[in-house]
Amino acid sequence: MSVFLYIGCDASPGGGGPDFSVRDSAGVEIVENRGNISEFVLPSRPRLRLGRQDGPPEHQLFRVADAVELDDGSIAVVSQIEPLIRIFARDGTLRAFFGSLGQGPREFGLPQRVWKAGADSLVIYDWRNRRLAYWTAGGRFLEVSPMRPLPAAPLPGGRFLDGSLLVASLLMVRSTQFEWSPLIGLRYDGSGALQDTVFNVPGWNLGPVEVEGETRFVDRLFEGLAGARALENAIALTLGDAYEVRILELDGRLKRLIRWIGRDRTVTQAHVAAARETESRRATTEERRQQVLRRFDARPVADQFGTVAGLHAAPEGGFWAREMPRPGDPEGERWLVFDGEGRLLGRLALPPGGNLTRVGRDHLLLSERDDLDIEYVSLYSLPGELAASNDS
């Protein structure tokens, strides 16, 4: 027996949203969003911008990997140049900094992610040293916890409210033809011990192509990839091949399917030509341009565009899904915003060159570069309708 709930909403720019319906199918909740999607943009200027062109090196950012707002409003930034971890007060003042490269207990090989681990403590995922590092936000070392075992290509997927972590791995299976290689999801406890494998799904479609006398394994142009993100008490998973996100329990059981209506996915020759021209313009010399075009022309093209190019957790169990870009789209990442019930609240466009780092209750943290290629971490206020949804 199915139970059906229908909630109608007016679809209008900047408010309302698509029609929203929920039904039960064999114990799995099916959420469908239909109709026009409300459009939102960020303010033209951020509330706060961290980073400088010159001055003391601890104020200069390079290869920003992550940033998160702490309970007191300060911001922890992971930058892959020493000092690796910087803590800025809510007014932009540098409050603390620590972290050098190395393998010792108080050193980092390559820090990739940072999460709050308490009111005044942090846990930092050190990819190269394969461990979790615990520090206070004031720069006092607490402990390190090796993560064992880790897959060959671990991708940090986030931290759950109970302190456990999601790590995904996009594996490569070499074959004589195009076949799907898996994306596996592993859950670790806060001490770094493996608890369970929570999913194993088709990750990317790989196959061999001959380029300049050598065999390369590549995916098909425009095809989607699978990806996952830890929410507060669940896992958001996309296969990248449908306008759909799966919500899993922490043990991997499917509990909800969230769907929406997207664009026509047909790949045309005009799309391929536009992508080829874009790749060509990136080359700085004629020799390099010819090399780029040979590699582009050897790569097979998918029949359909992928759908979701990334996921981010949001407060109260919500999530954001990045629309897969295609030739002709406006510059800047475009994200679909979903609340904890799976309701599609709208689409938000980021400034060109801005990369989403973290979704807060009333703000976003972006890593950005200016015209001089100087890196910054910027805090932007969310539009009121989207900020309010985090507290619904």
Side-chain angles (χ1 to χ4, degrees):
M1 182 178 73
S2 295
V3 178
F4 184 82
L5 170 66
Y6 177 83
I7 303 174
C9 300
D10 293 331
S12 58
D19 292 336
F20 172 75
S21 64
V22 182
R23 59 186 171 89
D24 181 88
S25 178
V28 176
E29 191 176 80
I30 310 295
V31 177
E32 294 184 340
N33 295 276
R34 297 180 177 275
N36 296 329
I37 300 175
S38 302
E39 302 285 348
F40 297 91
V41 295
L42 290 178
S44 58
R45 298 179 62 85
R47 272 168 34 194
L48 177 66
R49 173 160 284 177
L50 308 173
R52 296 181 184 176
Q53 178 180 351
D54 48 26
E58 57 268 19
H59 284 273
Q60 299 174 28
L61 303 180
F62 179 70
R63 292 183 182 173
V64 172
D66 200 10
V68 63
E69 186 185 38
L70 307 182
D71 289 347
D72 64 358
S74 57
I75 297 174
V77 177
V78 177
S79 179
Q80 294 176 357
I81 186 174
E82 297 179 348
L84 301 170
I85 313 298
R86 300 104 183 278
I87 312 297
F88 294 89
R90 62 194 313 162
D91 63 357
T93 304
L94 185 63
R95 200 181 86 189
F97 54 90
F98 57 90
S100 56
L101 293 169
Q103 298 179 357
R106 292 171 171 80
E107 297 174 322
F108 297 91
L110 186 68
Q112 277 193 331
R113 295 290 183 269
V114 59
W115 301 283
K116 295 185 293 184
D120 190 45
S121 58
L122 309 170
V123 56
I124 300 155
Y125 178 86
D126 186 349
W127 180 84
R128 186 162 290 158
N129 285 334
R130 298 295 199 265
R131 64 193 184 192
L132 303 173
Y134 289 85
W135 292 71
T136 69
R140 181 168 61 88
F141 171 74
L142 299 175
E143 62 177 337
V144 292
S145 298
M147 300 185 72
R148 300 288 187 272
L150 271 179
L155 305 170
R159 188 171 187 265
F160 303 106
L161 283 181
D162 67 1
S164 61
L165 290 97
L166 176 67
V167 173
S169 180
L170 200 57
L171 304 182
M172 176 182 288
V173 177
R174 297 177 183 270
S175 175
T176 58
Q177 59 187 358
F178 272 78
E179 292 186 4
W180 286 90
S181 292
L183 176 77
I184 62 171
L186 307 172
R187 187 175 172 220
Y188 293 80
D189 65 22
S191 68
L194 177 63
Q195 292 182 300
D196 195 10
T197 299
V198 290
F199 59 79
N200 185 332
V201 298
W204 55 343
N205 193 12
L206 291 178
V209 299
E210 293 295 323
V211 182
E212 299 177 330
E214 62 177 296
T215 300
R216 297 173 177 266
F217 282 83
V218 300
D219 57 339
R220 299 196 298 175
L221 185 66
F222 302 135
E223 195 155 53
L225 308 179
R229 181 69 66 163
L231 307 183
E232 292 184 344
N233 291 299
I235 300 166
L237 172 68
T238 175
L239 301 188
D241 64 348
Y243 294 113
E244 174 183 282
V245 169
R246 305 178 183 188
I247 304 299
L248 311 180
E249 302 279 8
L250 294 187
D251 61 5
R253 289 178 298 167
L254 178 64
K255 73 172 185 177
R256 181 180 295 162
L257 289 173
I258 299 171
R259 296 169 174 161
W260 64 98
I261 304 298
R263 294 184 285 176
D264 176 44
R265 296 175 56 201
T266 303
V267 176
T268 68
Q269 286 301 316
H271 290 128
V272 177
R276 190 177 191 273
E277 176 61 23
T278 298
E279 289 296 309
S280 174
R281 288 199 304 266
R282 290 174 179 166
T284 55
T285 66
E286 179 59 24
E287 180 181 3
R288 177 59 179 162
R289 190 180 78 87
Q290 293 300 324
Q291 183 183 52
V292 165
L293 292 180
R294 285 193 294 270
R295 292 180 179 179
F296 183 94
D297 293 339
R299 187 177 175 188
V301 179
D303 296 326
Q304 291 187 309
F305 283 100
T307 54
V308 177
L311 294 166
H312 259 287
E316 305 300 329
F319 68 92
W320 289 38
R322 184 189 172 197
E323 292 185 323
M324 184 171 177
R326 57 182 71 177
D329 282 352
E331 291 187 27
E333 297 179 0
R334 295 167 65 81
W335 290 83
L336 299 174
V337 182
F338 295 84
D339 67 13
E341 296 179 340
R343 182 183 287 106
L344 176 52
L345 303 173
R347 178 188 290 110
L348 186 138
L350 300 190
N355 296 307
L356 180 59
T357 300
R358 200 62 60 106
V359 179
R361 290 189 174 276
D362 65 350
H363 68 273
L364 297 181
L365 287 176
L366 307 184
S367 61
E368 298 185 291
R369 293 175 181 265
D370 64 14
D371 294 339
L372 299 176
D373 209 32
I374 307 301
E375 289 192 50
Y376 301 91
V377 170
S378 301
L379 186 150
Y380 286 87
S381 297
L382 276 172
E385 297 91 333
L386 301 183
S389 72
N390 291 330
D391 295 316
S392 61

